Amino acid sequence: MKLAIFELTDCGGCALNVLFLYDRLFDILEFYEIVEFHMASSSRSKEKVDVALVTGTVSTQRDLEVLREARNRSEYLIALGTCATHGSVQGSVENAKEAFRRIYGHVKGPTKVLEPRPITEYVPVDFAIPGCPYNKEEMFQVLMNLARGVEPVAKDYPVCLECKLNEYECVLLKKGIPCLGPVTAGGCNAQCPALGLGCIGCRGPSMDANVPGLVEVLKEILPEEEIARKLRTFTRW
């Protein structure tokens, strides 16, 4: 099978995370030929691919063109990382053009600046793997399933369930630490609560998330404007 990895506007961490598979990357190469991956190679390709991984937000006209190319060339397209699935941090910027002007002045960029949005706003996506960064083991398993002809299954439970399965102490109820675990999609194995930290919601909302209920609990700890900021940091869209 042929695999291509397309990078839009982001920090670069999602593409780098593929390389952080280390030896397991060779397991992927037993099933896939990677025909395009700018983080690792300068080679370019225009051929059709079986699977495309797309990272980052659509923040420029160039991003939009790359995204449409990825969709047109691929049989199966995966949104990889919270930038691609929900817009992430740069998606919370309410006026990207003004922010660009404040940072760079009136210098015109090489491409038209757009309001940062997830790729799901522009093209159909076959599967989404959220996370900032995403769980690379989850990505590995999804690619292996596709290579074997098995349709991957999205996580339909919150981070809270993973805390319970790992027998972690609840940082929200026991320690009074703000935590978005009750309304955030699982799949990270509750990495932040495992370290005694509150979940920051980087995987986006879980299915059937009871946001109003969590807000009532968080009001005992935080002012409402701070709660709102936490909820929209990664998922304003």
Side-chain angles (χ1 to χ4, degrees):
M1 299 175 68
K2 294 185 183 296
L3 171 68
I5 301 166
F6 298 90
E7 303 159 49
L8 310 183
T9 296
D10 61 4
C11 69
C14 283
L16 191 61
N17 211 24
V18 176
L19 298 177
F20 286 165
L21 282 169
Y22 300 120
D23 289 347
R24 301 196 78 182
L25 183 58
F26 294 102
D27 295 330
I28 291 178
L29 294 177
E30 290 185 12
F31 293 90
Y32 293 92
E33 175 191 357
I34 301 179
V35 300
E36 189 160 342
F37 184 15
H38 299 171
M39 179 66 74
S41 171
S42 59
S43 62
R44 299 291 188 268
S45 171
K46 294 295 182 182
E47 60 187 302
K48 293 283 188 178
V49 298
D50 297 288
V51 180
L53 304 177
V54 181
T55 73
T57 57
V58 176
S59 301
T60 67
Q61 186 62 34
R62 174 261 178 195
D63 289 337
L64 185 54
E65 292 168 1
V66 171
L67 174 60
R68 286 171 174 165
E69 177 191 348
R71 180 67 277 182
N72 290 335
R73 287 173 52 191
S74 62
E75 291 292 327
Y76 197 96
L77 188 144
I78 298 174
L80 188 60
T82 303
C83 285
T85 62
H86 294 88
S88 198
V89 176
Q90 67 260 35
S92 67
V93 177
E94 296 187 4
N95 191 332
K97 294 180 180 179
E98 176 60 21
F100 186 91
R101 187 197 63 77
R102 289 201 309 268
I103 296 169
Y104 298 105
H106 293 286
V107 177
K108 292 185 178 180
T111 184
K112 181 181 178 182
V113 177
L114 306 175
E115 296 300 319
R117 296 187 181 186
I119 71 171
T120 51
E121 291 286 308
Y122 291 98
V123 299
V125 169
D126 298 297
F127 196 76
I129 304 176
C132 187
Y134 58 87
N135 184 335
K136 60 181 182 290
E137 296 302 322
E138 180 182 8
M139 178 202 64
F140 175 84
Q141 193 58 57
V142 167
L143 290 177
M144 290 296 99
N145 284 344
L146 290 173
R148 299 183 179 104
V150 177
E151 182 69 23
V153 179
K155 304 293 189 297
D156 61 354
Y157 50 82
V159 172
C160 258
L161 177 62
E162 295 176 328
C163 276
K164 291 179 173 63
L165 292 174
N166 286 297
E167 299 184 351
Y168 297 149
E169 184 177 51
C170 180
V171 296
L172 177 59
L173 299 181
K174 297 294 185 179
K175 299 181 179 180
I177 297 174
C179 181
L180 301 184
V183 298
T184 298
C188 61
N189 200 31
Q191 291 186 12
C192 292
L195 298 172
L197 306 172
C199 169
I200 59 176
C202 78
R203 288 181 60 88
S206 61
M207 296 182 183
D208 302 319
N210 182 10
V211 176
L214 177 62
V215 169
E216 289 303 313
V217 175
L218 291 177
K219 283 181 181 179
E220 302 292 327
I221 307 171
L222 297 172
E224 288 190 42
E225 59 270 19
E226 179 67 11
I227 297 172
R229 186 189 65 79
K230 283 182 173 295
L231 288 171
R232 67 171 176 257
T233 296
F234 293 94
T235 58
R236 181 169 75 96
W237 284 106

